[in-house]
Amino acid sequence: MQIQADALQAMRNYFKSGATMTYAFRKKQLLALRSTVLKYQDAISEALYADLKKSEEESFATETGLFLTEVNFAIKNLRRWMQPKYVSSNLLNLPSSNRIYRDPLGVVLIIAPWNYPFQLLMIPLVGALAGGNCAIVKPSELAPATASIVERILNETFSATYVKTTLGDGAIIVPALITNFRFDHIFYTGSIDVGRSIYQMAAADLVPVTLELGGKSPAIIEEDANLPVAARRIALGKFLNAGQTCVAPDYLLLHQNVKDQFMNLLKKAITEFYTDDPSSSNDFCKIINKHRHDKLVSFLSQGKIVYGGAYNRETLYMAPTLMEEVSMETSLMKEEIFGPILPLFSFNTREEAFSVVSRNANPLAFYLFTNNNEAEKEWISRLRFGGGCVNNAVWQVANHHLPFGGVG
Ligand code: NAD
């Protein structure tokens, strides 16, 4: 439902009253949020199952658990974060003392996508509330069960002048919000095209924006990698959430000498994780909707399927699929795949692999499997990427001590 201008103004007035400024207030709100989430943990898991067929374990590991870690981290560090930071003075300012104060921004807007519909909304919200802001949150309409439980949790925990949820079609609701009210910050996670349009709308009022967008993240298997470990970690990182993960390995580059061996290990890992029939596995998610399913099916004809390839439009199932002989000029290799399709390429020299990776500048994530320190140093120094792992995939995002985001 669209939020009326007077409700937004009421939030602004609440912020201006200074109510959100104190340590006691912020801590109380974070504790309250944590306890409501714990109360609704089963309902959250059911909603994630309804929207994406996420298993209970996957829901905890990649959604609720990440939120709990974040909120605990904020509660623990809040007092320190709120204190002014003392910095050195300089000759002209002597004998003064110099401090940096971290002020709240005001009323912020958080717009979330459907793929991790709980944590990608709640984690930015923790940051916003720890920072003393009021927030409007916009869950994705494509994950309606999760959007509804998020609304319920936030309505039960907070006053409407402090945190408010808006549901519905983002293409209508978000432009109306941004053009009718000057937010103090917009935090957007989602696709590049929509991100661009939000940035443009926000620019009219010089509203600062944080954009967390998609990308095409490569994984490299060097000749000296521990292949059984690499195969299992790639299988998990890629097929988690049926490949609908912004930092999932998008495509694989395999050293020619280990290609066949690695492929066999990868197939074995997929079968171990999801059985011979992933459509009946409780651990394998579904595609979010028919539109995305159709898009993924269109990718299947752009190369040779060497494993998987089964799908069902009615149940929104698509099997973990490996493809070869894919041209770099196909949409499969030009767009973010965002599904359980993994194109495989082989290389002989590092230079060859580097030239493939360089076709998509500055990937959101980068994964390298090697036991060679020199290879590791070379890849890391030559490539610019948001985040990544050596000898693992995806789990860098679970460490809140590491920064998160893409280049630019
Ligand atoms: P999306 O852009 O379709 O939607 C995201 C949000 O924007 C939703 O809340 C939606 O309601 C809203 N929205 C949709 N159309 C809009 C419009 N015209 N104007 C304003 N708002 C609009 O993105 P999505 O399909 O939900 O998410 C998938 C994308 O998100 C992928 O590209 C993925 O890589 C990216 N992603 C990035 C990260 C990250 O942290 N970098 C994390 C998850 C997903």
Side-chain angles (χ1 to χ4, degrees):
M1 207 191 6
Q2 188 60 269
I3 297 182
Q4 302 300 325
D6 52 353
L8 291 163
Q9 193 51 48
M11 291 184 94
R12 169 84 75 228
N13 294 342
Y14 184 68
F15 175 74
K16 281 189 176 162
S17 76
T20 67
M21 293 298 283
T22 66
Y23 168 74
F25 176 87
R26 296 188 208 180
K27 184 167 177 195
K28 189 172 162 207
Q29 307 308 319
L30 293 172
L31 288 169
L33 182 59
R34 180 174 70 183
S35 91
T36 323
V37 167
L38 287 171
K39 174 176 156 194
Y40 283 106
Q41 212 170 321
D42 289 344
I44 297 164
S45 182
E46 281 158 24
L48 290 165
Y49 189 84
D51 287 332
L52 286 146
K53 198 175 151 283
K54 280 191 200 198
S55 67
E56 213 175 303
E57 295 80 4
E58 188 165 329
S59 288
F60 184 79
T62 67
E63 301 258 15
T64 345
L66 291 183
F67 161 79
L68 290 171
T69 310
E70 185 81 8
V71 77
N72 287 338
F73 187 65
I75 290 165
K76 190 170 157 212
N77 289 286
L78 185 63
R79 191 184 288 280
R80 187 170 60 80
W81 290 343
M82 288 181 68
Q83 271 154 13
K85 186 176 167 199
Y86 284 80
V87 294
S88 307
S89 188
N90 65 346
L91 195 56
L92 277 180
N93 286 300
L94 282 177
S96 64
S97 93
N98 294 238
R99 274 154 283 175
I100 300 170
Y101 288 85
R102 299 179 180 103
D103 287 336
L105 298 166
V107 182
V108 302
L109 172 62
I110 298 169
I111 307 164
W114 51 263
N115 62 332
Y116 289 88
F118 184 77
Q119 61 110 335
L120 288 177
L121 185 138
M122 298 295 266
I123 288 180
L125 180 64
V126 167
L129 302 187
N133 302 289
C134 297
I136 299 273
V137 302
K138 163 68 185 75
S140 171
E141 66 276 22
L142 303 185
T146 313
S148 162
I149 189 74
V150 162
E151 182 185 42
R152 186 164 173 190
I153 288 170
L154 299 182
N155 282 351
E156 191 172 309
T157 315
F158 302 123
S159 74
T161 47
Y162 179 46
V163 177
K164 215 166 160 49
T165 312
T166 177
L167 300 180
D169 183 351
I172 297 169
I173 284 179
V174 173
L177 274 173
I178 298 178
T179 46
N180 290 325
F181 184 75
R182 190 194 182 282
F183 286 94
D184 297 294
H185 196 96
I186 299 175
F187 189 103
Y188 170 81
T189 309
S191 64
I192 291 177
D193 286 346
V194 172
R196 184 177 289 118
S197 120
I198 286 174
Y199 208 16
Q200 280 165 350
M201 284 186 272
D205 265 336
L206 300 179
V207 174
V209 180
T210 304
L211 297 174
E212 292 285 359
L213 308 176
K216 230 172 155 51
S217 305
I220 315 285
I221 315 289
E222 292 265 11
E223 194 178 5
D224 59 23
N226 180 333
L227 299 182
V229 167
R232 290 171 68 83
R233 292 182 183 175
I234 292 278
L236 181 63
K238 176 68 189 186
F239 300 113
L240 187 77
N241 203 23
Q244 301 164 114
T245 303
C246 58
V247 290
D250 189 277
Y251 62 96
L252 265 192
L253 281 158
L254 299 162
H255 194 282
Q256 183 64 43
N257 293 349
V258 295
K259 183 174 163 233
D260 292 343
Q261 196 190 345
F262 183 82
M263 293 268 283
N264 289 333
L265 288 164
L266 185 57
K267 290 174 192 171
K268 184 167 164 255
I270 295 171
T271 317
E272 271 176 30
F273 292 175
Y274 305 112
T275 75
D276 283 332
D277 177 16
S279 70
S280 60
S281 165
N282 190 48
D283 296 319
F284 192 65
C285 292
K286 68 180 176 77
I287 306 306
I288 186 72
N289 58 24
K290 287 200 164 80
H291 173 70
R292 279 296 308 158
H293 195 270
D294 291 344
K295 175 83 194 169
L296 291 168
V297 170
S298 78
F299 287 149
L300 294 177
S301 56
Q302 299 182 6
K304 183 175 158 197
I305 296 171
V306 291
Y307 183 83
Y311 58 87
N312 181 334
R313 192 171 191 265
E314 288 317 303
T315 57
L316 297 172
Y317 166 71
M318 178 170 281
T321 298
L322 307 180
M323 291 182 71
E324 283 192 284
E325 297 173 26
V326 177
S327 153
M328 290 292 155
E329 302 313 316
T330 53
S331 52
L332 178 59
M333 279 314 288
K334 287 192 163 161
E335 296 170 19
E336 180 184 15
I337 298 172
F338 220 52
I341 304 174
L342 185 61
L344 308 168
F345 302 89
S346 56
F347 66 92
N348 278 307
T349 62
R350 199 164 293 146
E351 223 39 59
E352 241 177 77
F354 190 74
S355 73
V356 174
V357 171
S358 316
R359 293 175 75 98
N360 295 293
N362 306 335
L364 181 57
F366 172 69
Y367 305 113
L368 173 67
F369 291 81
T370 181
N371 282 316
N372 176 342
N373 285 343
E374 290 310 309
E376 181 181 329
K377 275 190 209 143
E378 185 180 340
W379 274 108
I380 291 176
S381 66
R382 285 183 73 175
L383 202 68
R384 289 187 78 212
F385 53 95
C389 299
V390 178
N391 294 322
N392 207 352
V394 168
W395 294 106
Q396 75 277 13
V397 299
N399 181 358
H400 56 256
H401 298 293
L402 291 172
F404 180 74
V407 175

